[in-house]
């Protein structure tokens, strides 16, 4: 049983020092060192060739797009791009490593230094970047016959080399993160940056963005670093935050008891939210790095880097600043829209003429709820920004009530066409015909004489029941406010 | 029949092109010769008679249709077993690749096929090209056709013996520290190691990636030039292949050497050199002087450190290159009893599959790359490599080519050095500097010492492979003229 300290107590007594190493699978159409496809979910071992299988005699050739993507990432993180760098071999034996070495970068990475600004509760935290380097992914082992799916207890293992050779960038932060919340926010920000740069779909659940967290504790005011643990392969935002929290509590309890933290690799269990020990660094592999002799050094010209910089898209932080200034969104609004993944849609909706506040409200409330019901992201709904803007416009013009507007959205989502078509085919426009409305009002009064008398007698709230009856009779297509006014007028209360 | 077997490749190709000989006839004669003598010579590990005859028929069809044939079309060739051949066993002289049939041709194999050459089969070699006598072959030692009790050199000993025993007019070898030139020298052949990057390494099962080059083993300088041209050129599948036009080499054979400056390397003589070898070498240098070349003595002081530097760099790279042979995907798998872990099976496979010399070099290389020793061994060796390259640069300021004996001694008896690795390593004393500097180098026969061939080495600046062919062509013509016949006519009958 692992002893845990209360988290709040732990962070009161110790300063947490957190560094993250994030692996991002690049969205290139071919692999890092060969021409094989990189499509996710293909049948096992169908996207392989002599090079990514490491067959004898095969050789690697650098994918130019992987370099381009890595340079984009480096520039977006304010790193300096090396004008000369090399790949290196990281040697270790493992069945899912086709060559029993990984082509990576060691002491000569492509990008050095930089930072990423992260906002938590309206406060900005600058996270320093140590380095960004390129490497190839390994294959994937499937351990069969055990209870856990881990190698321990398995009777045999199957290896899928489709993933072997997919380009990865490893982004390493300085040990400058101080809380689980900032750690999580850093990954959120980084993920958004990857998507904005068009270099990765950064889907943690598919493993295209995964994180290792280095956590250590020290006394407040102490400048030396404590002994760290490294928790591997965190593949959700929740895992990042929970694993770091857990490690802080675990290490605090150890230190409180006069023990010491062991430098080791730890495994995070999503089910229990706990970490467990693995390989200790004392018995860890010597990777015997040396420059990869099968590849020539990479020397990027200043012109090349300048061209990549020139072509960089608007970055998430720049965009948020622009949206705050232009549309009047607050930091909280922006954080909510970002977390909801609807910034693009809101902006499209505004661009199609909707007022910013209403665009935001539609996507964050109504559409977010529908997406949640459908188990999808709001951005994946079958409705466009201009569709939503049109609905908002019709409500503002009084041709739709908000209840009708929701029905129109239902229609669009059901694939019945754009809003105007749904309004026409479903016959959803507000009933403005005074005589038709008058007839419905008269009918409601006639059908509910008791209620009518109450209203006549001054019990105005009772009119609600009559409004309901009229709305029902008009199938919701009347404007409830107008119906209420008309009823009161007829009953001598206007 | 004897006449056909002894013809140079150019003459066989000319006869096939004219229709005087069919490629099938030429191929049959060579297959018969192999059947007749290879039991004694053991040049081949695998003879692909069916594949050879099919290739020959296709050449004959092309001729019948009047399609143009290249200058070597219809000529059989032996392929060193370190080069991958599609569907044909490729063992690298090792048990660990037992049963492996590569799914692809090495680029040089593809090129010789495209040139109309007819691969006869796979030539024996020291295991993974580690050795100078072919005694490190896991299957059997090859014998020197000049004296069957002696070594044919190595590691391309099978390739050299096949050509010297008239089993094949041409052969492809590979040269990491002298593995083409030293067998050529001790078998009385022409052998060339191209400029590093001049010939693709794709499909050459790597021993030491930064040193390996494939090249020709032939009976004449012109044959070597033509085969060299056929396999040279940029290959997008090999990042270290140089993107320059294929050099014009055959055109150099027949040019005179008047006015060329020939540098005799002072450090490649003296102690350890067989006196008769030095004598034949000096006579050949004098002949070049007679042909109005300017003879200069030059000093390359760092060549003394070439051997130790080589025996750190090559094993270091080998320790990583050979990591992939683990029994997981192809070749031998040992000790898979259904209980042993993957790691244990890897370990048992490597213990059973590799020979003693390969294990020795893997251990040396692993040690040299390990943390704490890297700078002292691998790092220092790389510095020596730079100094050797500077020695070459300085020498080429004064002279056009450098010359030396190819190997300090003639062929030594089988078994003499198998238990003394240091003595074995000395066989490559003169050839290693060119590999470390990446410059081209070749060997041609310059006479006999006690009935055994002596090799004359010519080295040229990087990308100036043409210069060495010019010198070699002139020297060969003069030597043949004075002798009255090619040296190979003196090989004892088998």
């Amino acid at each position: 049983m692992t002893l845990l300290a209360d988290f709040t107590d732990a962070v009161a007594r110790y300063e947490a020092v957190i560094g993250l190493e994030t692996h991002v699978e690049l969205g290139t159409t071919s692999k890092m060192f060969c021409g094989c496809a990189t499509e996710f979910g293909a049948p096992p071992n169908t996207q392989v060739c002599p090079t990514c299988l490491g067959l004898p005699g095969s050789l690697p050739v650098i994918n130019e797009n992987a370099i381009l993507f890595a340079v984009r990432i480096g520039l977006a993180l304010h790193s300096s791009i090396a004008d000369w760098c090399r790949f290196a071999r990281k040697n270790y034996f493992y069945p899912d490593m086709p060559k029993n070495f990984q082509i990576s970068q060691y002491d000569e990475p492509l990008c050095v230094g930089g930072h990423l600004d992260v906002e938590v509760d309206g406060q900005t935290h600058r996270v320093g970047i140590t380095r960004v380097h390129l490497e190839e992914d390994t294959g994937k082992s499937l351990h069969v016959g055990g209870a856990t799916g881990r190698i321990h207890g398995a009777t045999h293992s199957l290896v899928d080399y489709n993933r072997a050779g997919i380009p990865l960038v490893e982004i390493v932060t300085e040990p400058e993160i101080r809380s689980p919340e900032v750690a999580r926010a850093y990954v959120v920000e980084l993920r958004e940056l990857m998507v904005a740069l068009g270099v990765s779909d950064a889907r943690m659940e598919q493993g295209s963005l995964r994180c290792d967290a280095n956590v250590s504790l020290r006394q407040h005011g102490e400048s030396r670093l404590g002994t760290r643990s490294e928790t591997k392969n965190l593949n959700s935002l929740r895992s990042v935050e929970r694993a770091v929290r857990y490690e802080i509590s675990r290490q605090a309890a150890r230190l409180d008891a006069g023990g010491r933290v062991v430098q080791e690799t730890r495994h995070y269990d999503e089910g229990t939210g706990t970490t467990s020990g693995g390989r200790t660094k004392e018995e860890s592999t010597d990777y015997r790095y040396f420059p990869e002799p099968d590849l020539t050094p990479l020397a990027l010209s200043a012109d090349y880097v300048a061209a990549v910089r020139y072509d960089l898209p608007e970055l998430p932080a720049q965009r948020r600043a622009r949206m705050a200034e232009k549309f009047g969104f607050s930091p909280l609004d922006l954080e909510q829209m970002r977390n909801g993944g609807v910034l693009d849609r809101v902006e499209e909706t505004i661009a199609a003429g909707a007022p910013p506040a209403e665009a935001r409200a539609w996507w964050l409330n109504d559409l977010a709820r529908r997406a949640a019901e459908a188990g999808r992201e709001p951005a994946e709904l079958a409705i466009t920004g201009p569709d939503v803007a049109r609905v908002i416009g019709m409500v503002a013009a009084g041709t739709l009530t908000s209840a009708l507007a929701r029905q129109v959205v239902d229609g669009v989502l059901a694939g019945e066409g754009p809003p105007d078509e749904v309004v026409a085919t479903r016959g959803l426009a507000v009933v403005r015909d005074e005589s038709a409305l008058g007839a419905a009002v008269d009918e409601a009064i006639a059908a509910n004489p008791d209620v009518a008398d109450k209203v006549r007698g001054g019990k105005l709230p009772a009119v609600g029941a009559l409004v309901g009856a009229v709305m029902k009779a008009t199938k919701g297509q009347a404007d409830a406010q107008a119906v209420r006014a008309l009823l009161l007028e007829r009953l001598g209360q206007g | 029949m004897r006449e056909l077997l002894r013809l140079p490749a150019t003459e066989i190709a000319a006869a096939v092109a004219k229709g005087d000989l069919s490629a099938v006839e030429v191929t049959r004669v060579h297959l018969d010769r192999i059947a007749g003598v290879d039991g004694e010579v053991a040049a081949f590990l695998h003879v692909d008679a069916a594949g050879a005859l099919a290739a020959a028929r296709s050449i004959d069809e092309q001729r019948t249709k009047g399609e143009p044939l290249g200058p070597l079309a219809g000529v059989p060739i032996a392929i060193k077993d370190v080069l991958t051949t599609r569907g044909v066993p490729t063992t690298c002289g090792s048990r660990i690749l037992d049963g492996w049939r590569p799914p692809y041709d090495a680029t040089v194999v593809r090129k010789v096929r495209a040139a109309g050459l007819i691969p006869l089969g796979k030539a024996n070699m020291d295991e993974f090209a580690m050795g100078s006598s072919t005694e490190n072959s896991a299957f059997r030692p090859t014998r020197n056709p000049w004296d069957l009790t002696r070594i044919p050199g190595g590691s391309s000993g099978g390739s050299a013996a096949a050509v010297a025993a008239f089993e094949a007019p041409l052969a492809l070898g590979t040269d990491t520290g002298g593995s083409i030139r030293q067998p050529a020298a001790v078998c009385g052949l022409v052998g060339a190691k191209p400029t590093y990057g001049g010939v693709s390494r794709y499909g050459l099962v790597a021993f030491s990636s930064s040193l390996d080059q494939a090249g020709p083993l032939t009976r004449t300088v012109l044959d070597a030039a033509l085969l060299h041209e056929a396999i040279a050129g940029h290959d997008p599948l090999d990042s270290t292949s140089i993107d320059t036009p294929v050099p014009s080499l055959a055109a150099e054979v027949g040019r005179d050497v008047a006015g060329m400056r020939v540098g005799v390397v002072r450090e490649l003589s003296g102690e350890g050199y067989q006196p008769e070898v030095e004598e034949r070498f000096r006579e050949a240098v004098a002949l070049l002087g007679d042909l109005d070349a300017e003879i200069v003595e030059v000093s390359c002081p760092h060549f003394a450190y070439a051997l130790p530097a080589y025996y750190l760099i090559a094993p270091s790279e080998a320790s990583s290159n050979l990591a992939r042979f683990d029994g997981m995907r192809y070749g031998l798998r040992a000790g898979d009893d259904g209980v042993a872990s993957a790691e244990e099976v890897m370990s048992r496979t490597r213990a059973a599959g590799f020979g003693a010399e390969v294990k020795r070099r893997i251990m040396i290389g692993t040690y040299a790359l390990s943390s704490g020793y890297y700078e002292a061994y691998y790092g220092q060796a790389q510095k020596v490599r730079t100094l050797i390259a500077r020695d070459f640069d300085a020498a080429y300021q004064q002279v056009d080519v450098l010359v030396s004996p190819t190997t300090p001694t003639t062929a030594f008896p089988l078994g003499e050095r198998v238990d003394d690795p240091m003595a074995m390593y000395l066989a490559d004393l003169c050839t290693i500097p060119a590999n470390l500097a990446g410059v081209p180098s070749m060997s041609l026969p310059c006479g006999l010492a006690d009935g055994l061939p002596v090799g004359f080495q010519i080295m040229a600046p990087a990308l100036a492979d043409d210069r060495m062919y010019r010198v070699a062509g002139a020297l060969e013509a003069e030597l043949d003229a004075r002798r009255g016949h090619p040296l190979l006519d003196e090989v004892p009958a088998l």
Side-chain angles (χ1 to χ4, degrees):
Chain A
M1 183 67 207
T2 310
L3 217 54
L4 292 181
D6 176 75
F7 179 76
T8 317
D9 290 349
V11 293
R13 281 197 303 282
Y14 301 102
E15 181 179 51
V17 177
I18 303 157
L20 296 177
E21 293 173 21
T22 311
H23 285 94
V24 181
E25 270 185 4
L26 297 181
T28 51
T29 50
S30 60
K31 291 187 181 180
M32 183 70 226
F33 297 114
C34 63
C36 286
T38 56
E39 205 180 304
F40 182 80
N45 297 310
T46 54
Q47 295 176 166
V48 293
C49 74
T51 292
C52 59
L53 285 175
L55 292 189
S58 65
L59 292 172
V61 176
I62 297 173
N63 180 337
E64 282 184 30
N65 268 333
I67 302 295
L68 170 67
F69 286 9
V71 171
R72 271 190 206 158
I73 292 169
L75 291 173
L77 292 172
H78 313 278
S79 305
S80 59
I81 310 299
D83 54 11
W84 190 92
C85 73
R86 277 194 292 195
F87 285 90
R89 289 189 185 175
K90 180 179 184 180
N91 294 286
Y92 65 98
F93 284 84
Y94 203 77
D96 64 18
M97 286 260 294
K99 304 181 291 292
N100 285 323
F101 63 80
Q102 179 189 31
I103 306 179
S104 180
Q105 294 193 289
Y106 182 48
D107 50 356
E108 298 155 317
L110 182 58
C111 315
V112 180
H115 63 264
L116 184 64
D117 288 338
V118 173
E119 272 178 42
V120 176
D121 299 332
Q123 232 202 318
T124 303
H125 301 260
R126 174 158 292 191
V127 178
I129 302 293
T130 311
R131 56 186 277 157
V132 178
H133 76 242
L134 266 167
E135 60 188 30
E136 57 178 343
D137 210 343
T138 62
K140 219 172 183 172
S141 298
L142 180 67
H143 304 297
V144 186
T148 58
R150 294 179 68 185
I151 194 162
H152 187 75
T155 55
H156 62 285
S157 302
L158 301 171
V159 188
D160 177 6
Y161 293 103
N162 282 353
R163 199 181 70 177
I166 288 188
L168 289 179
V169 288
E170 181 175 326
I171 302 164
V172 182
T173 74
E174 292 289 309
E176 290 179 351
I177 298 170
R178 295 287 176 263
S179 73
E181 295 76 25
V182 175
R184 179 197 162 103
Y186 164 82
V187 180
V188 170
E189 184 71 29
L190 192 67
R191 198 175 59 163
E192 197 177 327
L193 185 66
M194 296 302 121
V195 173
L197 290 170
V199 299
S200 174
D201 57 11
R203 288 176 196 267
M204 294 189 86
E205 72 284 5
Q206 290 186 357
S208 60
L209 188 150
R210 39 191 202 266
C211 236
D212 302 339
N214 289 299
V215 178
S216 66
L217 299 184
R218 63 184 172 193
Q219 301 288 336
H220 287 284
E222 169 67 59
S223 59
R224 278 176 310 168
L225 293 170
T227 306
R228 70 171 196 270
S229 66
E230 182 179 9
T231 305
K232 291 283 206 185
N233 284 324
L234 302 169
N235 51 19
S236 73
L237 293 173
R238 188 175 132 89
S239 298
V240 171
E241 188 170 349
R242 287 180 77 202
V244 170
R245 269 183 95 88
Y246 181 86
E247 272 304 292
I248 291 172
S249 294
R250 186 186 68 84
Q251 293 185 14
R254 282 214 147 202
L255 296 174
D256 285 347
R260 67 181 191 97
V261 174
V262 181
Q263 186 171 343
E264 64 179 346
T265 301
R266 295 184 71 85
H267 173 81
Y268 177 70
D269 185 327
E270 292 227 24
T272 60
T274 62
T275 67
S276 54
R279 215 171 53 217
T280 64
K281 282 284 175 184
E282 282 79 12
E283 62 192 50
S284 76
T285 338
D286 176 356
Y287 292 123
R288 289 173 285 118
Y289 282 101
F290 73 106
E292 167 57 273
D294 285 330
L295 295 170
T296 48
L298 197 62
L300 300 178
S301 71
D303 284 351
Y304 173 84
V305 175
V308 177
R309 191 190 298 276
Y310 182 81
D311 286 339
L312 280 185
E314 183 183 43
L315 303 180
Q318 296 168 333
R319 177 196 206 174
R320 287 198 299 273
R322 177 176 55 77
M323 288 178 78
E325 195 194 348
K326 202 167 155 192
F327 306 134
F329 289 130
S330 72
L332 185 65
D333 290 340
L334 289 161
E335 203 172 315
Q336 286 174 341
M337 285 187 279
R338 181 182 68 175
N339 292 342
V342 297
L343 277 170
D344 281 342
R345 293 290 175 268
V346 170
E347 202 170 356
E348 285 163 19
T349 308
I350 297 170
E358 289 189 48
R360 174 190 153 275
W362 266 94
W363 282 102
L364 276 185
N365 304 328
D366 206 64
L367 292 167
R369 185 175 44 75
R370 284 159 193 268
E373 283 165 10
R376 316 179 68 170
E377 294 295 318
E380 292 171 353
L381 292 174
I383 188 164
T384 66
D387 289 343
V388 177
R390 178 68 186 137
V391 172
I392 291 171
M394 287 193 277
V395 174
T399 51
L400 286 182
T401 63
S402 47
L404 281 176
R406 279 193 285 277
Q407 289 185 51
V408 173
V409 168
D410 285 340
V412 175
L413 291 176
E416 293 167 23
D420 288 290
E421 210 174 305
V422 175
V423 167
T425 51
R426 288 199 178 188
L428 291 178
V430 170
V431 176
R432 294 222 165 264
D433 184 336
E434 288 285 333
S435 61
L437 209 54
V441 164
D442 290 343
E443 266 172 45
I445 291 170
N448 300 282
D450 297 350
V451 182
D453 283 345
K454 278 184 188 166
V455 179
R456 286 195 189 94
K459 281 196 168 178
L460 294 191
V463 78
L466 297 174
V467 173
V470 174
M471 292 307 284
K472 195 176 173 188
T474 58
K475 292 174 187 156
Q477 282 172 260
D479 178 347
Q481 288 303 319
V483 170
R484 183 184 160 87
L486 198 56
L487 278 166
L488 291 177
E489 189 190 310
R490 295 274 165 107
L491 296 172
Q493 298 292 342
Chain B
M1 204 53 77
R2 289 280 293 165
E3 283 64 38
L4 165 54
L5 285 172
R6 285 172 179 265
L7 288 178
T10 43
E11 289 178 34
I12 295 173
V16 169
K18 271 193 357 208
D20 293 346
L21 283 172
S22 75
V24 168
E25 194 181 346
V26 171
T27 303
R28 285 229 168 86
V29 167
H30 283 93
L31 290 171
D32 288 349
R33 173 72 178 175
I34 293 169
V37 304
D38 206 53
E40 282 181 276
V41 179
F44 284 91
L45 288 175
H46 179 84
V47 177
D48 180 22
L53 288 167
R57 274 193 289 276
S58 139
I59 294 298
D60 288 335
E61 277 165 31
Q62 283 180 43
R63 201 197 74 81
T64 317
K65 284 188 209 151
E67 290 172 21
L69 295 177
L72 293 176
V75 181
I77 185 168
I79 309 286
K80 186 178 182 181
D81 205 30
V82 77
L83 298 164
T84 60
T85 41
R86 189 186 172 104
V88 176
T90 299
T91 66
C92 301
S94 181
R95 296 269 176 216
I96 210 160
L97 272 173
D98 238 4
W100 186 53
R101 289 172 188 260
Y104 70 108
D105 272 340
T107 296
V108 289
V109 172
R110 189 172 52 72
K111 286 189 174 223
V112 298
R113 287 192 206 281
L117 287 150
I118 296 159
L120 292 171
K122 306 303 289 290
N124 198 10
M125 56 185 283
D126 285 301
E127 185 175 8
F128 287 106
M130 297 177 186
S132 305
S133 70
T134 314
E135 290 164 295
N136 292 335
S137 164
F139 303 100
R140 54 184 170 273
T142 299
R143 294 164 186 277
N144 191 323
W146 288 83
D147 177 347
L148 295 175
T149 68
R150 291 178 185 266
I151 59 108
S155 63
S156 311
S159 297
V163 177
F166 305 104
E167 296 175 60
L170 300 171
L172 281 181
T174 62
D175 190 315
T176 306
S179 282
I180 289 174
R181 290 161 289 159
Q182 183 257 4
V186 300
C187 287
L189 303 176
V190 178
K193 181 202 89 72
T195 296
Y196 182 80
V199 172
S200 170
R201 290 187 299 113
Y202 190 77
L204 190 179
V205 179
F207 158 20
S208 180
S209 311
S210 71
L211 301 166
D212 299 339
Q213 269 297 277
L217 279 141
T218 65
R219 293 182 199 135
T220 70
V221 174
L222 181 60
D223 283 357
L226 287 168
L227 183 52
H228 187 156
E229 284 179 7
I231 61 172
H234 180 244
D235 180 5
L237 296 177
D238 175 3
S239 308
T240 61
S241 106
I242 301 168
D243 196 357
T244 54
V246 177
S248 169
L249 305 173
E252 295 297 311
V253 183
R255 290 187 64 189
D256 69 62
V257 292
M260 280 188 85
R261 296 166 302 167
V262 174
V264 177
V265 183
R266 186 186 302 150
E267 284 76 11
L268 300 180
S269 64
E271 200 191 331
Y273 289 74
Q274 198 177 314
E276 300 87 339
V277 166
E278 293 207 284
E279 220 168 285
R280 289 299 92 74
F281 171 70
R282 277 196 299 271
E283 289 163 12
V285 170
L287 272 189
L288 287 172
D290 292 348
L291 296 171
D292 294 331
E294 186 189 325
I295 311 297
V296 187
E297 192 181 68
V298 296
S299 174
C300 295
H302 298 99
F303 280 20
Y305 308 106
L307 198 69
Y310 174 85
Y311 277 100
L312 288 169
I313 291 168
S316 294
E317 292 183 5
S319 71
S320 173
N321 283 330
L322 270 57
R324 71 190 66 198
F325 302 104
D326 61 6
M328 292 294 116
R329 290 160 296 272
Y330 42 78
L332 181 75
R333 176 182 289 187
D336 184 6
D337 52 11
V339 180
S341 69
E343 273 184 355
E344 284 164 337
V345 172
M346 285 180 174
S347 170
R348 290 173 187 180
T349 298
R350 292 167 67 78
F354 286 139
E357 182 63 22
V358 172
K359 286 178 185 164
R360 174 168 23 245
R361 296 205 197 181
I362 289 174
M363 285 189 278
I364 292 171
T366 302
Y367 185 77
L369 289 177
S370 56
S371 91
Y373 298 97
Y374 178 91
E375 269 313 314
Y377 294 116
Y378 186 81
Q380 280 298 107
Q382 289 293 2
K383 286 177 191 161
V384 170
R385 193 172 183 173
T386 303
L387 293 174
I388 287 168
R390 285 188 195 154
D391 277 1
F392 272 111
D393 289 345
Y396 291 133
Q397 296 293 313
Q398 306 170 54
V399 298
D400 298 311
V401 295
L402 292 171
V403 297
S404 76
T406 306
T407 179
T409 68
T410 54
F412 45 87
L414 284 159
E416 187 185 85
R417 300 188 188 178
V418 279
D419 296 321
D420 186 353
M422 283 309 295
M424 188 72 88
Y425 296 171
L426 285 172
D428 294 332
L429 195 61
C430 309
T431 45
I432 282 172
N435 297 85
L436 289 174
V439 302
S441 172
M442 69 190 288
S443 178
L444 77 156
C446 63
L448 299 179
D450 293 334
L452 292 170
V454 174
F456 183 91
Q457 178 174 235
I458 307 169
M459 296 169 276
L463 296 174
D465 304 52
D466 51 347
R467 260 186 230 174
M468 62 184 191
Y469 281 100
R470 182 172 169 189
V471 175
L475 184 57
E476 174 189 58
E478 192 63 20
L479 285 162
D480 284 0
R482 298 205 175 189
R483 197 186 297 117
H485 58 259
L487 188 69
L488 272 187
D489 282 3
E490 298 179 28
V491 186
L494 281 170

